[in-house]
Amino acid sequence: MDADGWVADTRTSYDTVAVSYADLVRDFLATAPYERAALALFADLVRAAGDGPVVDVGCGTGRITAHLHDLGLAVFGIDLSPGMLAVARRDHPHLRFEVGSMTDLDLADGSVAGLIAWYSLIHIPDQRLGQVLAHFRRVVRPGGPLLVGFHVGDGTTLKTQGYGGHPMKLHVHRRRPAEVAAWLRDNGFAVEAEMTVTSPESKLGGIIFGRREP
């Protein structure tokens, strides 16, 4: 049972906006060369580490999952919102999508060759972030790469509507790259590279490459 209700609020909010969200973000990568380059590098790192299944945690409507598939990865998506996954399955019927929560990731230990969380940690409260990253470490095999994207900044805002004016109720947490990197190191990931970008995804986005320590 989620005591403060943020998980349920996040799920309901994205169920509500799923169709309009997909329409809005579908072509974001087309004008985001640095983010495309980061995703291509992640795919290369997965292959260099021995290849295998990759999980897109917080995959939403599946656009990043599909992009990584097009780059040659055996990728599947997990998301909290059944509404978002219904759109993902509609738009990408050849890919695998599952309902799940990153706070209780239902994957076997060491079962994935790499993990991506693309702007999906932004709704996780600070007090639960360590729990989430511990799950990430548990499911990624030793030496496997990790890629996270997030909004850079300070503090938290409450989002009450979005993606076509639909009602929402969820918090958006902005964090500094050094802060996220420290959390990753504390939870068993070596941080290999950091960058900040401005793109349709974020006015100021952070991207960090990590690798699961032995």
mmCIF file of all heavy atoms in Angstrom, residues 2 27 41 65 68 82 93 109 112 122 142 154 157:
data_model
loop_
_atom_site.group_PDB
_atom_site.id
_atom_site.type_symbol
_atom_site.label_atom_id
_atom_site.label_comp_id
_atom_site.label_asym_id
_atom_site.label_seq_id
_atom_site.Cartn_x
_atom_site.Cartn_y
_atom_site.Cartn_z
ATOM 1 N N ASP A 2 0.635 2.163 -0.906
ATOM 2 C CA ASP A 2 1.445 3.375 -0.995
ATOM 3 C C ASP A 2 0.858 4.433 -0.067
ATOM 4 O O ASP A 2 -0.229 4.955 -0.302
ATOM 5 C CB ASP A 2 1.453 3.870 -2.444
ATOM 6 C CG ASP A 2 2.341 5.074 -2.617
ATOM 7 O OD1 ASP A 2 3.530 4.983 -2.297
ATOM 8 O OD2 ASP A 2 1.821 6.108 -3.059
ATOM 9 N N ASP A 27 7.559 12.726 -32.162
ATOM 10 C CA ASP A 27 8.655 13.131 -33.043
ATOM 11 C C ASP A 27 9.759 13.910 -32.327
ATOM 12 O O ASP A 27 10.573 14.555 -32.979
ATOM 13 C CB ASP A 27 8.092 13.973 -34.200
ATOM 14 C CG ASP A 27 7.119 13.188 -35.059
ATOM 15 O OD1 ASP A 27 7.355 11.982 -35.280
ATOM 16 O OD2 ASP A 27 6.117 13.766 -35.512
ATOM 17 N N LEU A 41 24.944 5.469 -28.628
ATOM 18 C CA LEU A 41 26.085 5.054 -27.828
ATOM 19 C C LEU A 41 25.682 3.991 -26.817
ATOM 20 O O LEU A 41 26.412 3.004 -26.606
ATOM 21 C CB LEU A 41 26.692 6.263 -27.117
ATOM 22 C CG LEU A 41 27.845 5.982 -26.155
ATOM 23 C CD1 LEU A 41 28.979 5.236 -26.841
ATOM 24 C CD2 LEU A 41 28.344 7.278 -25.527
ATOM 25 N N THR A 65 11.684 2.792 -26.559
ATOM 26 C CA THR A 65 11.795 1.343 -26.742
ATOM 27 C C THR A 65 11.899 1.012 -28.221
ATOM 28 O O THR A 65 12.766 0.229 -28.642
ATOM 29 C CB THR A 65 10.567 0.633 -26.143
ATOM 30 O OG1 THR A 65 10.159 1.264 -24.933
ATOM 31 C CG2 THR A 65 10.858 -0.838 -25.889
ATOM 32 N N LEU A 68 15.281 2.111 -29.751
ATOM 33 C CA LEU A 68 16.362 1.196 -29.410
ATOM 34 C C LEU A 68 16.232 -0.121 -30.167
ATOM 35 O O LEU A 68 17.237 -0.724 -30.566
ATOM 36 C CB LEU A 68 16.386 0.950 -27.903
ATOM 37 C CG LEU A 68 16.786 2.161 -27.049
ATOM 38 C CD1 LEU A 68 16.617 1.834 -25.569
ATOM 39 C CD2 LEU A 68 18.221 2.589 -27.331
ATOM 40 N N PRO A 82 -1.204 1.446 -17.318
ATOM 41 C CA PRO A 82 -1.808 0.605 -18.351
ATOM 42 C C PRO A 82 -2.278 1.402 -19.564
ATOM 43 O O PRO A 82 -2.233 0.902 -20.695
ATOM 44 C CB PRO A 82 -2.997 -0.042 -17.627
ATOM 45 C CG PRO A 82 -2.635 -0.002 -16.180
ATOM 46 C CD PRO A 82 -1.868 1.286 -16.010
ATOM 47 N N PRO A 93 3.209 -2.879 -32.106
ATOM 48 C CA PRO A 93 2.668 -4.200 -31.765
ATOM 49 C C PRO A 93 3.702 -5.326 -31.803
ATOM 50 O O PRO A 93 3.453 -6.410 -31.266
ATOM 51 C CB PRO A 93 1.587 -4.415 -32.820
ATOM 52 C CG PRO A 93 1.975 -3.538 -33.963
ATOM 53 C CD PRO A 93 2.618 -2.340 -33.351
ATOM 54 N N ASP A 109 17.198 -11.314 -10.866
ATOM 55 C CA ASP A 109 18.538 -10.755 -10.649
ATOM 56 C C ASP A 109 19.419 -11.011 -11.867
ATOM 57 O O ASP A 109 19.462 -12.131 -12.397
ATOM 58 C CB ASP A 109 19.187 -11.399 -9.429
ATOM 59 C CG ASP A 109 18.466 -11.089 -8.125
ATOM 60 O OD1 ASP A 109 17.447 -10.385 -8.164
ATOM 61 O OD2 ASP A 109 18.943 -11.561 -7.071
ATOM 62 N N VAL A 112 19.036 -8.652 -17.212
ATOM 63 C CA VAL A 112 19.106 -7.769 -18.378
ATOM 64 C C VAL A 112 20.545 -7.324 -18.615
ATOM 65 O O VAL A 112 21.338 -7.174 -17.691
ATOM 66 C CB VAL A 112 18.178 -6.537 -18.242
ATOM 67 C CG1 VAL A 112 16.715 -6.969 -18.170
ATOM 68 C CG2 VAL A 112 18.545 -5.679 -17.044
ATOM 69 N N ILE A 122 11.831 11.124 -12.864
ATOM 70 C CA ILE A 122 11.463 12.486 -12.459
ATOM 71 C C ILE A 122 10.274 12.530 -11.507
ATOM 72 O O ILE A 122 10.025 13.562 -10.883
ATOM 73 C CB ILE A 122 11.178 13.371 -13.692
ATOM 74 C CG1 ILE A 122 10.005 12.815 -14.505
ATOM 75 C CG2 ILE A 122 12.425 13.496 -14.560
ATOM 76 C CD1 ILE A 122 9.561 13.713 -15.651
ATOM 77 N N PRO A 142 26.380 -7.834 -14.020
ATOM 78 C CA PRO A 142 27.635 -7.102 -13.785
ATOM 79 C C PRO A 142 28.281 -6.647 -15.089
ATOM 80 O O PRO A 142 28.373 -7.405 -16.056
ATOM 81 C CB PRO A 142 28.500 -8.144 -13.068
ATOM 82 C CG PRO A 142 27.517 -9.029 -12.369
ATOM 83 C CD PRO A 142 26.344 -9.129 -13.302
ATOM 84 N N ASP A 154 16.506 22.401 -9.500
ATOM 85 C CA ASP A 154 16.343 22.240 -8.054
ATOM 86 C C ASP A 154 14.866 22.236 -7.713
ATOM 87 O O ASP A 154 14.068 22.982 -8.287
ATOM 88 C CB ASP A 154 17.028 23.391 -7.300
ATOM 89 C CG ASP A 154 18.526 23.435 -7.558
ATOM 90 O OD1 ASP A 154 19.208 22.456 -7.218
ATOM 91 O OD2 ASP A 154 19.003 24.449 -8.109
ATOM 92 N N THR A 157 7.945 20.489 -8.428
ATOM 93 C CA THR A 157 6.716 21.195 -8.779
ATOM 94 C C THR A 157 5.572 20.201 -8.897
ATOM 95 O O THR A 157 5.786 19.039 -9.249
ATOM 96 C CB THR A 157 6.867 21.964 -10.106
ATOM 97 O OG1 THR A 157 7.244 21.051 -11.146
ATOM 98 C CG2 THR A 157 7.923 23.053 -9.987
#
